[in-house]
Amino acid sequence: DLEIGKEKVITADVGPDNAADTSLVWSVDDPEAISLKPIDGGVKLTGIKTGNYKVTAAAADGGAKATCAVTVITERIPVNGITISQKEAVMYVGSTLQLSASVHPDNATDKSIVWSTNVGAAFTLSPDVPGLVIASGDAGDGWVSAKAGDELEWEAKCHIIVKGIDVTGVSLDCTALSMKVGEQAELKPTITPANATRKTVRWETDNKGVVTVTDGRIKAVGEGKATVSVITEETNWEKPIFNIAR
């Protein structure tokens, strides 16, 4: 970028080194927008009018030429701060959160924002949508950072806690069984909600002399009555089933 009233030098290399004439002719597509002053090895530009222009260096013999795009601006206004839409947030595994950030002042020349997370954060950032946080892993926490400025010297951060989705219930595919000694059956639990974070369960029987249970597989080992229960490890939701061995 070239500010109005400011100067900038651009140079050009001419080849080959043994060319008979290495002189250049400089031009701009709008002489009223940029003034040109040839100097040794290049040209000095002075901004006059805002806009986008092309400065061309052409070989004096009419051969090769090269073009440089130049944007003239009124004044380069530096960034002096950045704010983020949230400083703290709570998410749940499987959810998303859209953050936004504002660069100050409003008329800063470069208002671009660089988003990042800390190493080991319990979430990721979308590669396509700036500021979109995706909690696709396990529960945990981390920081989202939004940076701005020529040297990314301005930063705003949001601390995010990712929680697991609690179990609210468990059910079994049957409520009672009548079995003969030696018979086996398999029970299948259903955890509610389906997207609960921890679905680990444990199995218990109140009479191992009648029924044994291992990972939902029950076996009638003696006559009598027994109750087999499935219990969620996270919140201790329990669902019993009555089994009769005879």
Side-chain angles (χ1 to χ4, degrees):
D1 294 343
L2 175 64
E3 294 179 29
I4 289 180
K6 298 295 181 66
E7 298 177 342
K8 180 174 290 188
V9 173
I10 59 176
T11 60
D13 294 323
V14 180
D17 293 338
N18 60 350
D21 185 358
T22 59
S23 59
L24 296 172
V25 177
W26 293 90
S27 63
V28 60
D29 55 357
D30 187 349
E32 295 183 356
I34 300 176
S35 69
L36 306 179
K37 182 180 179 180
I39 60 174
D40 188 23
V43 66
K44 182 182 293 184
L45 313 180
T46 302
I48 301 173
K49 183 174 66 176
T50 59
N52 299 311
Y53 308 101
K54 292 181 180 179
V55 175
T56 301
D61 61 7
K65 65 179 180 179
T67 299
C68 175
V70 178
T71 298
V72 179
I73 59 177
T74 55
E75 180 185 3
R76 185 168 184 81
I77 301 174
V79 172
N80 63 15
I82 184 172
T83 55
I84 197 166
S85 55
Q86 293 178 244
K87 293 184 177 180
E88 297 279 346
V90 175
M91 301 179 64
Y92 290 89
V93 172
S95 67
T96 61
L97 172 67
Q98 180 65 63
L99 295 176
S100 60
S102 300
V103 175
H104 310 291
D106 290 340
N107 61 342
T109 302
D110 184 357
K111 298 181 69 175
S112 57
I113 298 171
V114 176
W115 294 89
S116 64
T117 66
N118 65 293
V119 176
F123 44 78
T124 59
L125 289 172
S126 168
D128 303 313
V129 182
L132 180 63
V133 185
I134 304 171
S136 57
D138 298 323
D141 72 336
W143 292 88
V144 172
S145 169
K147 293 183 178 181
D150 292 341
E151 303 296 330
L152 299 181
E153 67 272 24
W154 297 96
E155 180 181 25
K157 299 172 72 174
C158 176
H159 180 235
I160 298 177
I161 297 173
V162 179
K163 295 184 177 182
I165 298 175
D166 292 339
V167 172
T168 58
V170 60
S171 61
L172 288 168
D173 53 349
C174 64
T175 57
L177 284 174
S178 179
M179 303 173 67
K180 294 180 180 180
V181 173
E183 288 183 338
Q184 298 185 47
E186 184 172 358
L187 302 176
K188 296 181 180 180
T190 299
I191 304 294
T192 306
N195 62 341
T197 303
R198 295 183 59 193
K199 297 184 178 181
T200 307
V201 298
R202 69 179 189 272
W203 297 85
E204 294 181 356
T205 173
D206 68 347
N207 193 339
K208 294 182 180 179
V210 175
V211 173
T212 62
V213 58
T214 303
D215 295 332
R217 294 184 296 275
I218 60 176
K219 181 177 181 179
V221 295
E223 294 186 354
K225 295 182 179 181
T227 298
V228 172
S229 298
V230 59
I231 305 166
T232 62
E233 291 285 8
E234 185 179 61
T235 49
N236 288 326
W237 283 93
E238 181 175 344
K239 181 67 178 180
I241 176 171
F242 298 94
N243 303 284
I244 301 174
R246 57 180 180 173

